[in-house]
């Protein structure tokens, strides 16, 4: 429509004159038509009976989608019923409800306030959980410098197995991402946090390699169950909003690494004065807080936008309404056929019902397993993880071989990851604004590749310690940003909840095999320059850039195909209207990928 504010039209002139002055004062909101609203239907409705838009009160429904395009058979049935006054009235009322449903029943300011609350009260909280998770999985690198190897009499090969053991179970249990669709998320997430908090704390009591190995295996199971958080965030944010929110979530990893380095320095200093082994104190202090936060997570996390206890009733309604198009994409991904009369009801149910109470569609799981796009993003994640899993663990050791003391290395490990934290947020924000995933992903992969090339050639070129340390900054910023974008891209590439969950599971099952390579790239025998490890990571990041551009071309072709189908459907609908003399129905919008 030409204007975003719609003026009501009454069927009776006397009613219009009597309500003309009052309508100005009683309509405090503007109602913006959606892109798929039908002007012809609104004009026809005005001529027949008119209607009035009202604010959505606490006792009213959560809104409905416009009806989907009707089949030719259904249109024929309507033509047969034209002589029946009762049926005609019923259809008019249905059109009235559908037309009202084609308007947003909230203002942009209201939506911004709700989105801000979701960012501060939900996204930052799950980022805190991820910070604790990453802290507990990667602090073994700091424990190594704090005396773990000496006290437990570990060899380099045994230490490598401690790193590998975590990722073995981490990979085997990635299928648990689908549990976000099967169980109430607040119970599931709280249980995961409690499990890894207890296991991480118990590492401080181990006295042998075997005991620590078993705890690392169990820790991998606990954290594997948690990694579906990006899928969980898609319950609350739209497709083009996810990169920034997943960026806030993933940025907790570099923040945790920088925080861990500073915390490790303080704990080692404290351990020397308390008589407790520094590495034991490190495991306890960094592991036990997760047990306390698990109780908070049980109370705080909602299962869906309609169950967020920290939103007001009106804000919960808006949080549900703003996600109805995403819910419709999820419903349309089903193999079940819906008609124009059943679609609004199914859409409302899909929007307001928590995911774990909706039917689970195994066909969508099988479809995603056969989807080449899911395999491409998983391969990208594999290459990213070669660097993502190795540098946070080995950076203190790498810096030590640059000529710094172990305590100084702990402190110097923090700035590169703090820099990465800021770059990840900036990259995620620009990715959402530009609606692009492949370009920032390829850019940061190439940036990290250049940093690895510099470190690999440092010995032959005679680079000093300062230049080698500076090269770590673009490396950390590059692979952390790449991981953020590829995780977001995986969620964007699937329309259904089952597809998103399966895509995330595939991403991690295949992608988390990268750490099996990455954790063995920096043996002590290759110090101080680690030429082989740096070279492997450089090649891996080059492959990331190439695969990102290849996936971009695939998605652009699929989007072009979807648009052609949409235009063919629109042309067919216009032809049916000309032949049958009826009113044209808008074809269903196609699901488009972000490239």
């Amino acid at each position: 429509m030409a204007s975003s504010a719609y003026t009501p039209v009454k069927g009776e002139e006397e009613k219009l004159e009597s309500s003309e002055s009052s309508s100005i004062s009683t309509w405090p909101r503007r109602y913006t038509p959606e892109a798929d609203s039908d002007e012809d239907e609104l004009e026809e409705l005005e001529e027949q009976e008119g209607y009035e838009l009202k604010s959505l009160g606490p006792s009213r429904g959560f809104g409905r989608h416009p009806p989907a395009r009707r089949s030719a058979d259904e249109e024929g049935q309507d033509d047969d019923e034209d002589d029946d006054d009762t049926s005609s009235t019923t259809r008019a009322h249905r059109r009235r409800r559908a037309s009202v449903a084609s308007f947003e029943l909230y203002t942009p300011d209201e939506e911004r306030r709700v989105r801000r609350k979701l960012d501060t009260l939900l996204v930052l909280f799950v980022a805190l959980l991820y910070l604790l998770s990453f802290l507990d999985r990667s602090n073994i690198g700091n424990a190594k410098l704090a005396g773990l190897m000496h006290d437990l009499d570990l060899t380099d090969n045994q230490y490598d197995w401690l790193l590998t053991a975590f990722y073995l179970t981490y990979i085997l249990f990635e299928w648990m991402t689908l549990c976000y669709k099967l169980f109430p998320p607040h119970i599931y997430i709280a249980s995961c946090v409690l499990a890894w908090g207890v296991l991480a704390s118990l590492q401080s009591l181990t006295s042998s390699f075997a005991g620590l190995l078993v705890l690392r295996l169990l820790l991998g199971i606990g954290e594997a169950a948690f990694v579906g958080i990006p899928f969980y965030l898609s319950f609350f944010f739209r497709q083009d909003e996810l990169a920034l929110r997943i960026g806030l979530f993933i940025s907790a990893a570099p923040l945790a690494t920088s925080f861990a380095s500073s915390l490790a320095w303080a704990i080692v200093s404290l351990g020397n004065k308390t008589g407790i082994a520094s590495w034991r104190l490190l495991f306890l202090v960094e592991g036990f807080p997760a047990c306390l936060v698990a109780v908070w997570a049980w109370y705080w996390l909602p299962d869906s936008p309609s169950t967020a206890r920290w939103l007001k009733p009106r804000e919960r309604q808006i949080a549900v309404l703003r996600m109805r198009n995403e819910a419709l994409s999820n419903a349309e991904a089903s193999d079940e056929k819906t008609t124009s009369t059943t679609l609004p009801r199914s859409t409302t149910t899909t929007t307001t019902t928590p995911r774990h109470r909706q039917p689970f569609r195994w066909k969508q799981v099988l479809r995603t397993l056969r989807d080449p796009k899911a395999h491409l993003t998983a391969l990208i994640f594999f290459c990213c993880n070669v660097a993502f899993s190795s540098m946070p663990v080995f950076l203190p050791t790498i810096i030590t071989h640059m000529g710094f003391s172990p305590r100084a290395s702990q402190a110097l490990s923090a700035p590169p990851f703090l820099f990465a934290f800021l770059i990840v947020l900036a990259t995620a924000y620009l990715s959402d604004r530009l609606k692009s995933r492949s370009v920032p992903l390829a850019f940061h992969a190439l940036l990290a590749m250049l940093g690895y090339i510099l470190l690999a050639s440092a010995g032959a070129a005679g680079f000093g310690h300062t230049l080698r340390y500076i090269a770590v900054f673009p490396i950390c910023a590059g692979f952390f940003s790449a991981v953020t974008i590829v995780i977001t891209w995986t969620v964007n590439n699937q329309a259904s909840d089952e597809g998103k969950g399966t895509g995330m599971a595939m991403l991690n099952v295949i992608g988390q095999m990268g750490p099996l390579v990455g954790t063995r790239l920096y043996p002590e025998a290759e110090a101080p320059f680690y030429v082989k490890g740096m070279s492997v990571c450089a090649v891996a990041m080059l492959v990331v850039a190439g695969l990102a551009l290849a996936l971009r071309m695939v998605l652009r072709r699929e989007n072009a195909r979807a648009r052609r189908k949409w235009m063919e459907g629109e042309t067919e609908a216009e032809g049916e209207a000309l032949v049958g003399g009826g009113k044209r129905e808008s074809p269903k919008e196609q699901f488009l990928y972000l490239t």
Side-chain angles (χ1 to χ4, degrees):
M1 297 178 69
S3 174
S4 60
Y6 184 77
T7 305
V9 177
K10 296 292 183 179
E12 302 174 5
E13 293 182 1
E14 304 86 29
K15 206 168 186 179
L16 177 62
E17 292 174 359
S18 62
S19 61
E20 183 176 2
S21 59
S22 61
S23 64
I24 300 176
S25 59
T26 58
W27 285 17
R29 296 184 175 86
R30 296 175 62 200
Y31 297 91
T32 306
E34 293 182 341
D36 57 354
S37 63
D38 197 329
E39 285 191 37
D40 296 335
E41 185 173 356
L42 292 178
E43 291 173 359
E44 179 184 354
L45 181 61
E46 290 172 9
E47 295 174 358
Q48 291 184 4
E49 59 179 290
Y51 65 94
E52 180 180 359
L53 291 177
K54 295 183 180 294
S55 300
L56 193 65
S59 63
R60 298 184 182 272
F62 284 149
R64 300 180 188 272
H65 276 285
R69 180 188 173 191
R70 294 177 294 177
S71 64
D73 293 339
E74 289 171 331
E75 291 179 356
Q77 292 175 5
D78 286 347
D79 292 338
D80 294 339
E81 294 174 349
D82 283 341
D83 296 334
D84 189 342
D85 294 338
T86 304
S87 300
S88 178
T89 304
T90 303
R91 285 196 305 276
H93 281 291
R94 187 187 307 131
R95 285 196 300 270
R96 180 175 185 267
R97 289 194 299 271
S99 299
V100 174
S102 68
F103 286 81
E104 297 286 356
L105 300 179
Y106 53 85
T107 66
D109 288 339
E110 285 181 312
E111 183 182 13
R112 277 192 293 270
R113 283 195 295 270
V114 171
R115 193 166 53 231
R116 192 179 303 117
K117 274 196 172 184
L118 290 171
D119 287 337
T120 55
L121 300 179
L122 177 64
V123 178
L124 293 184
F125 183 76
V126 296
L128 170 65
L129 299 181
Y130 188 55
L131 184 148
L132 297 174
S133 167
F134 203 83
L135 196 66
D136 291 339
R137 84 171 67 167
S138 62
N139 59 8
I140 192 170
N142 298 113
K144 178 184 178 182
L145 294 181
L148 172 67
M149 302 288 288
H150 177 268
D151 290 356
L152 297 186
D153 196 22
L154 301 179
T155 64
D156 289 339
N157 187 56
Q158 288 176 322
Y159 178 75
D160 288 340
W161 271 109
L162 291 176
L163 300 180
T164 304
F166 172 87
Y167 288 104
L168 286 175
T169 52
Y170 196 72
I171 294 168
L172 292 175
F173 286 86
E174 288 295 347
W175 58 267
M176 296 178 71
T177 298
L178 290 172
C179 291
Y180 285 88
K181 174 74 175 177
L182 300 174
F183 302 105
H186 79 281
I187 297 176
Y188 180 71
I189 295 173
S191 301
C192 294
V193 177
L194 180 63
W196 89 58
V198 171
L199 293 167
S201 302
L202 288 176
Q203 291 180 111
S204 63
L205 303 178
T206 56
S207 57
S208 66
F209 165 73
L212 189 55
L213 183 67
V214 170
L215 288 174
R216 294 288 296 179
L217 286 168
L218 295 175
L219 186 64
I221 298 175
E223 296 206 13
F226 177 74
V227 296
I229 286 292
F231 172 40
Y232 171 67
L233 290 179
S234 70
F235 299 173
F236 303 87
F237 296 98
R238 294 195 288 258
Q239 185 188 40
D240 58 351
E241 298 172 341
L242 268 180
L244 179 58
R245 279 75 199 180
I246 294 178
L248 286 167
F249 172 71
I250 296 295
S251 65
L255 189 63
T257 307
S258 61
F259 174 67
S261 300
S262 304
L263 183 60
W265 178 85
I267 292 174
V268 168
S269 302
L270 181 63
N272 294 333
K273 299 177 182 178
T274 59
I276 303 174
S278 298
W279 64 272
R280 294 185 185 275
L281 194 61
L282 185 70
F283 281 138
L284 182 62
V285 171
E286 294 185 354
F288 185 72
C291 301
L292 303 178
V293 176
V295 180
W296 185 11
W298 181 293
Y299 171 82
W300 191 256
L301 292 176
D303 295 332
S304 65
S306 61
T307 61
R309 67 177 69 230
W310 26 262
L311 291 179
K312 299 176 182 177
R314 169 66 178 165
E315 292 171 337
R316 285 197 292 270
Q317 293 173 355
I318 295 170
V320 169
L321 280 169
R322 65 187 298 273
M323 292 300 296
R324 60 187 179 179
N325 287 335
E326 304 290 319
L328 181 58
S329 295
N330 178 35
E332 289 172 351
S334 174
D335 293 332
E336 300 175 356
K337 296 181 180 179
T338 56
T339 64
S340 61
T341 57
T342 60
L343 182 59
R345 178 176 297 178
S346 63
T347 302
T348 303
T349 303
T350 302
T351 306
T352 59
T353 305
R355 275 3 190 237
H356 65 277
R357 294 180 181 174
Q358 297 175 16
F360 191 89
R361 298 166 294 185
W362 286 103
K363 287 184 179 180
Q364 297 300 319
V365 174
L366 297 176
R367 182 177 298 173
T368 306
L369 290 174
R370 297 191 298 264
D371 189 354
K373 297 185 294 297
H375 290 276
L376 268 177
T377 51
L379 189 55
I380 292 173
F381 195 48
F382 170 86
C383 296
C384 287
N385 266 329
V386 172
F388 184 72
S389 63
S390 57
M391 186 60 73
V393 174
F394 288 101
L395 185 57
T397 304
I398 293 172
I399 294 177
T400 300
H401 287 295
M402 291 181 184
F404 300 96
S405 66
R407 290 185 63 183
S409 298
Q410 301 277 16
L412 289 173
S413 297
F417 294 112
L418 187 59
F419 174 74
F421 166 75
L422 300 175
I423 296 300
V424 165
L425 294 182
T427 301
Y429 175 77
L430 289 175
S431 178
D432 275 345
R433 288 295 299 271
L434 299 175
K435 292 182 172 55
S436 174
R437 304 293 187 237
S438 56
V439 173
L441 177 56
F443 171 78
H444 280 289
L446 294 175
L447 191 67
M449 181 196 70
L450 293 176
Y452 277 117
I453 290 175
L454 192 151
L455 288 181
S457 59
F463 295 141
H465 299 327
T466 302
L467 184 58
R468 290 172 61 195
Y469 178 69
I470 292 175
V472 174
F473 283 77
I475 289 175
C476 294
F479 65 69
F480 273 114
S481 297
V483 165
T484 300
I485 298 301
V486 73
I487 291 176
T488 308
W489 214 4
T490 300
V491 178
N492 289 159
N493 282 346
Q494 302 297 331
S496 67
D497 286 341
E498 293 83 359
K500 290 180 174 69
T502 306
M504 284 296 300
M506 291 176 60
L507 180 83
N508 285 289
V509 169
I510 298 174
Q512 293 298 346
M513 293 183 183
L516 300 181
V517 178
T519 53
R520 296 177 177 272
L521 289 179
Y522 300 99
E524 286 294 326
E526 297 185 8
F529 297 107
Y530 301 102
V531 176
K532 184 182 74 174
M534 300 299 179
S535 301
V536 169
C537 288
V539 172
M541 299 313 291
L542 177 61
V543 173
V544 167
L547 291 176
L549 296 177
L551 183 55
R552 175 186 174 87
M553 291 188 290
V554 171
L555 296 180
R556 286 173 68 89
R557 282 200 299 268
E558 293 206 8
N559 283 345
R561 188 181 301 116
R563 290 189 180 96
R564 283 197 301 271
K565 288 182 179 179
W566 191 90
M567 293 302 297
E568 290 171 0
E570 186 178 49
T571 304
E572 181 182 351
E574 290 176 349
E576 291 174 357
L578 290 174
V579 173
K583 185 177 65 62
R584 179 174 62 86
E585 294 284 349
S586 297
K588 183 173 64 178
E589 184 66 51
Q590 300 291 322
F591 176 78
L592 298 179
Y593 302 101
L594 291 182
T595 60

